[in-house]
Amino acid sequence: MGRNVFPHEAALRQWLGARAASAGLEVDDVVQETYAILASIENVDHIRNARTYMFEVAKSVVLQSLRRARIVTIDVQANAQVLDIPEDAPSPERVVADRQELSQVSAAIAALPDRCREVFTLRKIQGLSQRQVADTLGIAQSTVEKHMVKALAILTNTIGRGGNGRNAASSPRDQRNDSETGEQSRQRERA
């Protein structure tokens, strides 16, 4: 058990820092009591996450100390939620957001031109070197590089702006209207 909980002592001390002090407890005392409780456990087979278990024991030690205290300030009672234990696992909201983001990235990659998508997939997803991609596809390394630059530019334009394309106000002058000639653009600007 010791080798599973000792690495988490620094995180526990940090977590206890403000919490123990607001309860009028010493961090060292809470940590020592936590270790005493953990050492007294005969069978640890039921413990799936040593870090979370250690934090729960420390939380219990703090709460027991508060229950035994003759005087508990209003601040401590009002801030009982500060004893929430930090989770290693992401929140359900974070999981959903990450899945949505992954879906957007996958769709953006799928929308790349065929050769750019092939090069990007081989290079960034499969981890092949530029030379390996060139050999696999039978193209020059400089062509691989050009496709990567194009793919990254497209993906940055799509994903880097949260899926929004470039604003017309931020587009180069000659790209605002493809049908407009340079002379028409200059006349419009003079007006």
Side-chain angles (χ1 to χ4, degrees), residues 6 70 75 96 142 149:
F6 287 138
R70 292 183 181 261
D75 292 346
V96 169
S142 61
V149 167

Side-chain angles (χ1 to χ4, degrees), residues 101-158:
E101 190 174 334
L102 181 60
S103 176
Q104 290 172 339
V105 170
S106 296
I109 292 170
L112 289 172
D114 292 340
R115 187 58 96 169
C116 284
R117 184 178 59 249
E118 277 182 293
V119 169
F120 182 84
T121 302
L122 291 172
R123 199 68 184 98
K124 295 297 182 185
I125 296 174
Q126 294 183 14
L128 297 180
S129 70
Q130 189 166 310
R131 178 180 299 266
Q132 291 170 321
V133 172
D135 292 344
T136 301
L137 298 176
I139 58 177
Q141 287 188 46
S142 61
T143 305
V144 170
E145 189 173 332
K146 288 176 186 174
H147 283 299
M148 279 302 298
V149 167
K150 183 176 181 179
L152 291 172
I154 292 169
L155 292 173
T156 300
N157 190 36
T158 304

Side-chain angles (χ1 to χ4, degrees), residues 28-50:
D28 289 337
D29 294 341
V30 175
V31 171
Q32 184 175 356
E33 182 68 21
T34 299
Y35 278 136
I37 292 170
L38 292 173
S40 69
I41 298 173
E42 292 179 23
N43 185 357
V44 294
D45 294 340
H46 67 285
I47 300 173
R48 294 181 186 210
N49 186 328

Side-chain angles (χ1 to χ4, degrees), residues 56-70:
E56 286 289 347
V57 170
K59 176 181 174 180
S60 176
V61 168
V62 171
L63 290 174
Q64 284 178 353
S65 296
L66 289 174
R67 282 188 210 109
R68 282 187 249 138
R70 292 183 181 261

Side-chain angles (χ1 to χ4, degrees), residues 69-116:
R70 292 183 181 261
I71 300 173
V72 178
T73 65
I74 293 173
D75 292 346
V76 172
Q77 290 178 347
N79 293 326
Q81 71 274 11
V82 300
L83 291 175
D84 289 341
I85 296 172
E87 292 282 331
D88 282 340
S91 68
E93 294 84 9
R94 180 80 258 159
V95 170
V96 169
D98 288 348
R99 285 183 181 160
Q100 287 174 342
E101 190 174 334
L102 181 60
S103 176
Q104 290 172 339
V105 170
S106 296
I109 292 170
L112 289 172
D114 292 340
R115 187 58 96 169
C116 284

